[in-house]
Amino acid sequence: MASLSEMYDVGWEEMRDKLRKWREDNCRNSEQIVDVGEELISEHSSKLGDDIWIIYEQVMIAALDCSRDDLALTCLQELRKQFPDSHRVKRLTGMRLEALERYDDANKHYDAILQEDPTNTAARKRKISILRAQGKSTEAIRELNEYLEQFVGDQEAWHELSELYINEHDYGKAAFCLEELMMTNPHNHLYCEQYAEVKYTQGGMENLELARKYFAQALRLNNRNMRALFGLYMSASHIAASPKVSAKVKKDNIKYAAWAAAQINRAYKVSIEMSYLDSTFHCFYSFFFFIGY
Amino acid sequence: MASSFWKGVVGLGLFALAHAAFSAAQHRSYMRLTEKEHETLPIDIVLQTLLSFVMTCYGIVHIAGEFKDMDASSELKNKTFDTLRNHPSFYLFNHRGRVLFRTPEEESTSARNPQALPNPIRLRKLEHLH
């Protein structure tokens, strides 16, 4: 089987930079990471220098996703050899046990870490993930709330808590978590948009109005966000269609909905025209090719 | 390779700046010795100072790396929920990837794991209906 570097004509530096980009963007494309990382580790380990340890960690987690337990064990053993007493490596050992569904062993592992270092956030988060994997959502929510009382600035944990609440259909508390996130990241249009969606799902006139406002805010931050555009259209039309609103509010919302609809049509018209051009070109090309015979 | 050239430029600029400062100090002490304290600094030292300063700044800008946009929201324009929803500290592994990618030999040889849940992913919520 040809190696990746032969098939795609890339050097080891590009592969390493790709892995770094995936690591920084939190991409979970585990199959690709395993393919690229396995080749880097097996053939270019000497050229990587100190980068290799973080690549081992990244590849190990991706290998657990792809059920490549052999590769995961290899990476883990290399890391254990290099960093024998590290809490980070112990956490990876625990993650491997979780992937093998040995939850009690994994829990014992994390408790040992927490005994040595009670402030270790990673072990606490893994214990919460174990509760979630076992389906105990209410305990997971309770533990995550306690964690957030101590570590209020942890954005990942707030977003995870909002996802847990959405799964339990507790939209009020999910909205609260998203408000925390919006406060600390005012320029992030995605949090605005997700908050607006939660408010829209909750329903009721004030929530619909709030949803429309936050969809508009998301659009102001990023005018290419199609979901926010659709959300603006839907919330404005719902408010306009409701029988309890005053005439002025109705008129305003019809205007907003019309504007949003025009924007959506324009965005799709451009992309449809592009695809028409594409398909007509292909028709002509294949026609001439055919009559050439 | 390109970055070592710019590092050389910065080094040269800093050296020239130090050299100009040293010659200005030397000129000052010479002026004091010959009691001609009202003469201004010679123009070549001034020119050398300014040129080496500009060279250093130019070289540092090239070493400093990619500039970010002033608008904080513009670098988020291409971000999607695909990557925002992933929380690496909370990754779960009880998904279908564990079964999909499993090789056939593993299935036959894997022993019954006593700690694993009997119904790991799918039908837990429907259990109470049975």
Side-chain angles (χ1 to χ4, degrees):
Chain A
M1 185 155 40
S3 68
L4 270 184
S5 54
E6 288 162 27
M7 276 203 288
Y8 295 104
D9 195 23
V10 289
W12 66 271
E13 297 106 338
E14 283 148 321
M15 289 169 42
R16 177 199 59 188
D17 291 338
K18 232 357 184 208
L19 276 181
R20 178 174 42 226
K21 180 166 166 299
W22 287 333
R23 194 167 52 231
E24 284 167 10
D25 288 342
N26 279 344
C27 298
R28 200 173 177 177
N29 47 345
S30 303
E31 277 185 89
Q32 286 177 308
I33 294 180
V34 162
D35 285 336
V36 173
E38 197 173 12
E39 189 176 326
L40 264 186
I41 295 174
S42 47
E43 300 191 17
H44 305 283
S45 56
S46 48
K47 301 179 210 147
L48 286 167
D50 272 336
D51 277 343
I52 196 165
W53 309 115
I54 199 152
I55 290 181
Y56 270 136
E57 184 182 22
Q58 190 180 4
V59 170
M60 186 203 150
I61 297 180
L64 289 176
D65 267 343
C66 296
S67 198
R68 288 283 311 268
D69 297 330
D70 52 334
L71 179 59
L73 196 57
T74 321
C75 295
L76 187 58
Q77 280 165 344
E78 289 293 320
L79 284 168
R80 268 207 279 235
K81 254 192 306 197
Q82 178 71 14
F83 305 104
D85 284 320
S86 156
H87 282 307
R88 197 163 156 178
V89 175
K90 290 202 186 121
R91 165 181 159 252
L92 288 175
T93 320
M95 279 169 94
R96 180 175 160 268
L97 291 171
E98 280 182 56
L100 296 172
E101 296 194 2
R102 290 162 50 182
Y103 295 121
D104 297 332
D105 295 339
N107 255 321
K108 279 197 216 112
H109 227 85
Y110 295 133
D111 287 330
I113 299 180
L114 284 172
Q115 202 125 24
E116 286 175 32
D117 178 13
T119 62
N120 191 320
T121 55
R124 283 181 77 162
K125 293 198 227 189
R126 288 320 301 172
K127 289 188 70 165
I128 294 172
S129 310
I130 290 181
L131 286 172
R132 198 172 169 198
Q134 291 173 315
K136 303 179 186 163
S137 320
T138 32
E139 281 108 8
I141 289 180
R142 195 182 51 223
E143 292 290 317
L144 194 44
N145 268 310
E146 282 175 23
Y147 170 81
L148 279 168
E149 274 171 31
Q150 288 188 6
F151 299 95
V152 189
D154 193 339
Q155 320 247 316
E156 221 182 25
W158 278 114
H159 207 194
E160 182 76 13
L161 185 59
S162 77
E163 196 176 311
L164 279 172
Y165 276 133
I166 290 177
N167 282 338
E168 298 293 310
H169 303 294
D170 194 344
Y171 298 115
K173 301 212 182 91
F176 176 75
C177 300
L178 285 167
E179 280 167 14
E180 289 280 332
L181 282 170
M182 279 201 301
M183 229 171 32
T184 47
N185 299 296
H187 49 267
N188 192 334
H189 61 99
L190 292 169
Y191 290 140
C192 275
E193 187 221 304
Q194 197 174 11
Y195 179 72
E197 285 175 6
V198 168
K199 281 292 171 199
Y200 181 85
T201 314
Q202 268 185 301
M205 197 43 62
E206 312 103 44
N207 287 332
L208 275 179
E209 296 239 322
L210 213 55
R212 193 199 69 220
K213 290 180 186 155
Y214 277 98
F215 277 128
Q217 170 76 353
L219 275 175
R220 177 143 59 104
L221 291 171
N222 177 10
N223 53 358
R224 293 191 336 202
N225 191 337
M226 282 309 288
R227 254 171 103 145
L229 204 46
F230 272 106
L232 179 61
Y233 172 72
M234 301 225 23
S235 43
S237 353
H238 265 267
I239 297 177
S242 154
K244 302 181 260 180
V245 293
S246 66
K248 178 178 183 312
V249 171
K250 205 182 188 92
K251 204 158 59 109
D252 284 340
N253 278 292
I254 291 178
K255 208 167 48 156
Y256 301 144
W259 178 85
Q263 295 292 317
I264 295 174
N265 276 324
R266 207 174 68 166
Y268 276 106
K269 191 151 114 46
V270 170
S271 64
I272 287 177
E273 276 173 2
M274 297 303 286
S275 68
Y276 272 157
L277 273 175
D278 224 21
S279 54
T280 38
F281 171 71
H282 279 130
C283 280
F284 276 132
Y285 186 73
S286 47
F287 179 63
F288 286 129
F289 188 71
F290 184 68
I291 60 175
Y293 268 48
Chain B
M1 253 313 122
S3 87
S4 58
F5 168 69
W6 292 113
K7 282 184 191 155
V9 166
V10 172
L12 193 61
L14 286 172
F15 177 72
L17 212 48
H19 179 261
F22 187 69
S23 8
Q26 207 171 25
H27 179 264
R28 195 88 175 100
S29 64
Y30 174 70
M31 286 290 114
R32 204 169 293 160
L33 277 175
T34 58
E35 293 177 6
K36 281 195 270 173
E37 285 200 29
H38 305 293
E39 262 192 42
T40 55
L41 215 49
I43 188 138
D44 56 337
I45 297 188
V46 175
L47 265 174
Q48 185 178 347
T49 315
L50 289 172
L51 274 172
S52 55
F53 176 66
V54 169
M55 196 162 69
T56 313
C57 286
Y58 195 65
I60 286 189
V61 161
H62 278 269
I63 298 180
E66 284 292 321
F67 281 123
K68 296 199 329 186
D69 257 353
M70 249 180 74
D71 184 10
S73 56
S74 67
E75 65 185 30
L76 287 167
K77 281 206 177 192
N78 291 326
K79 223 172 172 124
T80 59
F81 265 120
D82 294 338
T83 53
L84 196 78
R85 276 186 51 196
N86 291 337
H87 312 124
S89 314
F90 287 105
Y91 275 164
L92 293 180
F93 297 108
N94 60 339
H95 49 63
R96 57 193 172 174
R98 295 290 302 166
V99 182
L100 266 180
F101 295 114
R102 204 187 292 174
T103 56
E105 313 97 56
E106 277 178 36
E107 284 199 41
S108 51
T109 59
S110 65
R112 266 332 255 139
N113 187 347
Q115 295 171 21
L117 299 166
N119 220 352
I121 308 163
R122 300 154 291 274
L123 305 172
R124 231 179 282 138
K125 288 202 172 156
L126 300 174
E127 259 174 21
H128 70 281
L129 294 173
H130 289 165

